[in-house]
Amino acid sequence: MERTPAPERLTATMRRHPFGVDVALTVAFVLITVVLPGPAYRSPAEAVLFGLLISVPLAWRRKAPIPAAAAMVVVGLLQLVALPDLLLADVAVLPMIYSLAAYAPRWAAQTGLGLGLFGAVLAGLRYYSYGAGDALLATVTTGGIAVVAAWALGNLRRARVQRLAALEERARLLELERDQEMRLAAQTERARIARELHDVVAHSLSVVIAQADGGLYAGRTDPDKATGALEQIAATGRQALTDMRSLLGVLREDGRQEYAPQPDVAAIKELVEDVRTSGLDVDLIEEGLPQPMPAGPQLAAYRIVQESLTNVLKHAGPAGRAWVRLQWRDDALELSVLDDGRGAAAVLSDGQGQGLRGMVERAALHGGRLTAGPRHGGGFGVHAALPYRTAAR
Ligand SMILES: Nc1ncnc2c1ncn2[C@@H]1O[C@H](COP(=O)(O)OP(=O)(O)OP(=O)(O)O)[C@@H](O)[C@H]1O
Ligand SMILES: [Mg+2]
């Protein structure tokens, strides 16, 4: 693991302990402005005492700027009355005004500026009103400029802090949004996997079951037919394995080849053939000229027909016939899968169906729609329309 460079570690520590930093700065400030020059004053003991009193509030300049400033104001007023000298430590007023502007509410910052200017005038009158008026004016002007400069710097600091806070908030919101998007994407992806697995597995198993039933029946009378059924079972099983493998392959990819080796509308012909060999009497009717269509809706069309035929095998009853109709319209491919089985009796019988739900989702995903239900006069019908081009959403 790489070690963080020492200066960065120091900055991070300082950021985590602002009060500690302020205490350390105050101690340094006291050493330089109170302890060292202390003996030079006319009344050293009082100078040190007032110097300390006016400097120590600096330690709270960020933690509690308003009480710290108030304490400083009180000490400053007492000093004006009690001390014959202006102290070096009185410079502490400037960082205090800076801190008020940077860290305290607006009103406190304004009050700090006003009191600072007022203090400069008072100090000038108290300590420099002897001799010429020039000294007084110079002192008050210098003090005033220093006060305004400290206040302005504090304001800059406040703006920076606010900008940083806004940026942090934005980053937090962006992260939240990204998390949500990822969760949503994962959910969509899970639903997609569930649909694919369902359609591939349920279809192959239904075909295998139908063929096995037929083979079982034929076994007693017609061994050739039974062998044919077994061959069909083996072929269906192999196809299912291939489908599963390509599906799992897609899941392992980074998602770009989402529909890469998947079946398309043209493959519906073979699908219908396969189902016919498993014993269901099914016809394919195609109207219109095939149109170019993206891989996504093509796969959806294939899966919708596949699941509808699987449902016919499972639910329509033994004597059923079925029709698959593909109509290439102006802007959409319309699909119908109809049968004349027992349709109406069985609608949503177990309530566990994944198939219909998956079909509706598939159609919606590509900007189309799908309806399914018993037909007037018996049987079951699935109707879907898949636009050639998905409208931009
Ligand atoms: N061709 C059909 N004939 C009669 N009933 C049907 C036909 N297709 C669907 N149904 C009815 O609609 C219900 C829902 O179908 P769906 O495909 O969603 O579920 P399923 O086939 O029962 O189970 P799954 O597809 O999850 O394996 C079925 O349980 C069945 O009652
Ligand atoms: Mg089904």
Side-chain angles (χ1 to χ4, degrees):
M1 208 174 76
E2 230 172 84
R3 281 175 66 81
T4 329
E8 275 176 32
R9 257 180 299 151
L10 183 66
T11 335
T13 317
M14 282 168 63
R15 208 167 284 146
R16 256 181 285 125
H17 305 285
F19 185 56
V21 172
D22 288 348
V23 169
L25 283 179
T26 307
V27 169
F29 185 83
V30 164
L31 279 179
I32 296 168
T33 63
V34 180
V35 178
L36 293 181
Y41 289 107
R42 267 177 281 174
S43 43
E46 286 173 3
V48 168
L49 174 68
F50 273 97
L52 269 180
L53 288 179
I54 206 148
S55 316
V56 166
L58 271 189
W60 280 270
R61 68 182 191 98
R62 275 187 285 189
K63 202 172 183 184
I66 295 174
M72 223 179 244
V73 168
V74 172
V75 177
L77 289 175
L78 286 178
Q79 180 198 332
L80 280 175
V81 177
L83 275 195
D85 298 304
L86 193 61
L87 301 175
L88 191 52
D90 288 336
V91 184
V93 168
L94 297 178
M96 196 65 238
I97 288 173
Y98 167 90
S99 304
L100 279 178
Y103 307 115
R106 267 264 171 265
W107 67 264
Q110 314 285 21
T111 314
L113 174 65
L115 284 177
L117 291 173
F118 186 56
V121 174
L122 283 186
L125 286 174
R126 166 78 169 91
Y127 298 114
Y128 293 94
S129 57
Y130 56 86
D134 282 358
L136 173 61
L137 189 66
T139 317
V140 172
T141 315
T142 317
I145 289 176
V147 165
V148 171
W151 183 78
L153 284 178
N155 267 327
L156 281 182
R157 171 76 192 162
R158 169 200 292 273
R160 202 176 116 79
V161 166
Q162 278 173 350
R163 215 176 30 244
L164 276 180
L167 278 179
E168 264 168 30
E169 176 65 8
R170 225 173 90 87
R172 201 181 60 83
L173 285 180
L174 277 178
E175 199 160 305
L176 260 180
E177 205 171 299
R178 215 199 47 205
D179 273 4
Q180 230 158 22
E181 265 169 21
M182 268 169 62
R183 256 202 306 276
L184 221 74
Q187 237 170 35
T188 315
E189 192 56 14
R190 268 206 306 275
R192 187 174 78 85
I193 296 166
R195 280 195 306 268
E196 291 298 296
L197 275 177
H198 166 271
D199 288 2
V200 170
V201 175
H203 173 75
S204 324
L205 281 182
S206 301
V207 171
V208 163
I209 291 168
Q211 282 159 349
D213 283 345
L216 207 62
Y217 176 75
R220 296 184 206 116
T221 53
D222 187 347
D224 278 354
K225 227 176 172 179
T227 314
L230 284 176
E231 275 167 4
Q232 272 294 323
I233 288 175
T236 310
R238 264 194 294 276
Q239 183 58 46
L241 253 189
T242 314
D243 285 355
M244 285 278 287
R245 221 172 260 142
S246 77
L247 180 60
L248 294 179
V250 169
L251 296 184
R252 283 194 195 285
E253 296 293 334
D254 55 11
R256 261 177 292 142
Q257 301 179 321
E258 218 173 320
Y259 300 110
Q262 303 281 6
D264 54 10
V265 174
I268 290 179
K269 206 166 169 188
E270 273 168 55
L271 173 70
V272 169
E273 289 296 325
D274 280 355
V275 173
R276 192 179 295 132
T277 48
S278 74
L280 178 72
D281 192 357
V282 49
D283 283 324
L284 175 64
I285 306 152
E286 198 167 352
E287 294 170 13
L289 271 182
Q291 303 287 326
M293 218 176 167
Q298 296 230 20
L299 174 67
Y302 182 92
R303 294 280 187 240
I304 287 170
V305 174
Q306 185 181 37
E307 168 61 10
S308 303
L309 288 178
T310 309
N311 277 349
V312 177
L313 281 174
K314 280 167 68 178
H315 306 296
R321 261 181 68 76
W323 298 268
V324 175
R325 196 169 62 201
L326 304 181
Q327 291 166 294
W328 297 94
R329 300 258 185 233
D330 286 343
D331 51 1
L333 169 64
E334 286 186 17
L335 305 165
S336 314
V337 181
L338 313 170
D339 68 67
D340 61 358
R342 63 171 175 233
V347 181
L348 299 176
S349 53
D350 56 5
Q352 296 290 311
Q354 302 269 323
L356 280 183
R357 180 146 46 111
M359 288 198 272
V360 172
E361 282 172 9
R362 276 183 200 282
L365 207 62
H366 299 291
R369 64 199 146 64
L370 183 141
T371 53
R375 297 198 299 148
H376 290 301
F380 199 88
V382 175
H383 300 277
L386 293 167
Y388 303 133
R389 252 182 293 279
T390 311
R393 264 182 288 180

